[in-house]
Amino acid sequence: MEEKLELLSNFSTCDIADALLEIGHPHGGFLPDIVMFAPEFHAGPSRCVGPAFTVKVVHISEPVPKLEKHFADAAPEGSVVVVSAPSNSVNAVWGGLMNTRVRTKGVKGVVVDGRVRDLEELHKDGLPVFARGLSILSARKYTHPAAINLPIIINGDYDPAIVVNPEDLIVADLNGVVCIPKEYLDHVLDLSKKQVNIDTKIKQDLGKGISIAEAFKRHRN
C-alpha cells in the first residue's frame, strides 16, 4: 500500500477527481468548500495522502458515550484525520494542541468539515490542515466527539450524499480535497497516469501556438 500511496502523491486532486468521474464515482470524490489553512493559507505546494481516520463531532446537547481516548490520541500513524462537525457550528473543532499531538504521532494531515482555530500554531507545526473556516471559539461549550472510525457525511445538500468511510484514501492539496474509495485505487492510478500524459501533450501543443480545439482533437479523441 505504501508504494501505491507514493504513486498517488504524484497526481493532483484535479487529476484524481477526473479519474473518479470517469469511473462514475459521484461528484468525483470531491469534498466541497474545504480548503488549505496550513502550513500556508491558500498557498504553497503542501499536500497530504493517506487513509482516512474519521471523527464525528455533535452538538453538546446531544448525549453520547464518552470515547475511551481522545481522538487525537487514537489517530494512527500515517493516517489523515477527517473531522465532521455540525453544519451550524460556530466553534472550532480543531486547534493547536490537537494538531501538535497528531503531528508527533506521524499523522499525514487533517481535513475538517467545520472550523479550526489557532492558525499561527497550525502554521508553525507545518502539518497540512484543510477546513471550511475559522473560529476563535473552543469546542468546550458547543460540541463534543461522538464516534471515531465510522462513516461520516460531509455537510451540504448533495445528491447523492458525500460519504467518507474509514480507510478511504484522502488526497488534499492547494486545489482541494478528494476522497477515493479504497477499492478504486488501482483504477484511479491507471486513469490518472493516462490523463496526465494526455494533458502534457496537449499543453506542449498549446505552447507551440496550436488551437485548443485542434490539440483536444489530436489527443483526446
Side-chain angles (χ1 to χ4, degrees), residues 7 16 33 38 40 86 88 119 127 146 159 176 180 189:
L7 291 172
I16 294 166
D33 304 321
E40 298 178 84
N88 59 349
L119 198 54
L127 187 71
D159 184 19
I180 310 165
L189 287 171

Side-chain angles (χ1 to χ4, degrees), residues 114-134:
R115 302 175 189 272
V116 299
R117 72 175 198 164
D118 304 324
L119 198 54
E120 187 174 346
E121 292 179 50
L122 302 187
H123 287 176
K124 287 179 179 178
D125 266 344
L127 187 71
V129 177
F130 299 78
R132 281 186 181 268
L134 292 171

Side-chain angles (χ1 to χ4, degrees), residues 25-204:
H25 186 56
H27 315 298
F30 178 45
L31 307 189
D33 304 321
I34 299 175
V35 299
M36 182 188 293
F37 276 83
E40 298 178 84
F41 182 65
H42 290 199
S46 296
R47 59 191 290 114
C48 62
V49 180
F53 172 77
T54 58
V55 181
K56 182 179 181 181
V57 173
V58 299
H59 286 294
I60 199 74
S61 60
E62 187 173 333
V64 294
K66 186 175 182 179
L67 299 180
E68 291 184 6
K69 59 169 67 175
H70 194 286
F71 57 82
D73 291 327
E77 180 182 358
S79 66
V80 175
V81 178
V82 183
V83 183
S84 171
S87 60
N88 59 349
S89 299
V90 296
N91 61 290
V93 295
W94 192 264
L97 299 179
M98 289 179 283
N99 206 68
T100 298
R101 172 58 176 148
V102 300
R103 176 181 59 79
T104 60
K105 292 195 69 183
V107 162
K108 297 296 186 181
V110 180
V111 174
V112 181
D113 185 19
R115 302 175 189 272
V116 299
R117 72 175 198 164
D118 304 324
L119 198 54
E120 187 174 346
E121 292 179 50
L122 302 187
H123 287 176
K124 287 179 179 178
D125 266 344
L127 187 71
V129 177
F130 299 78
R132 281 186 181 268
L134 292 171
S135 176
I136 59 173
L137 302 172
S138 75
R140 190 173 305 166
K141 293 184 179 294
Y142 296 96
T143 58
H144 54 185
I148 58 174
N149 259 357
L150 290 175
I152 55 176
I153 298 175
I154 298 299
N155 289 308
D157 186 21
Y158 305 111
D159 184 19
I162 300 174
V163 179
V164 178
N165 294 292
E167 300 298 319
D168 281 351
L169 298 168
I170 301 296
V171 181
D173 61 18
L174 184 57
N175 294 295
V177 185
V178 65
C179 176
I180 310 165
K182 55 186 176 182
E183 64 269 22
Y184 290 161
L185 176 57
D186 289 340
H187 202 173
V188 165
L189 287 171
D190 182 53
L191 287 175
S192 296
K193 182 178 180 180
K194 290 178 181 177
Q195 187 59 51
V196 167
N197 288 338
I198 290 171
D199 285 352
T200 298
K201 292 175 182 177
I202 290 173
K203 197 167 186 67
Q204 288 172 345

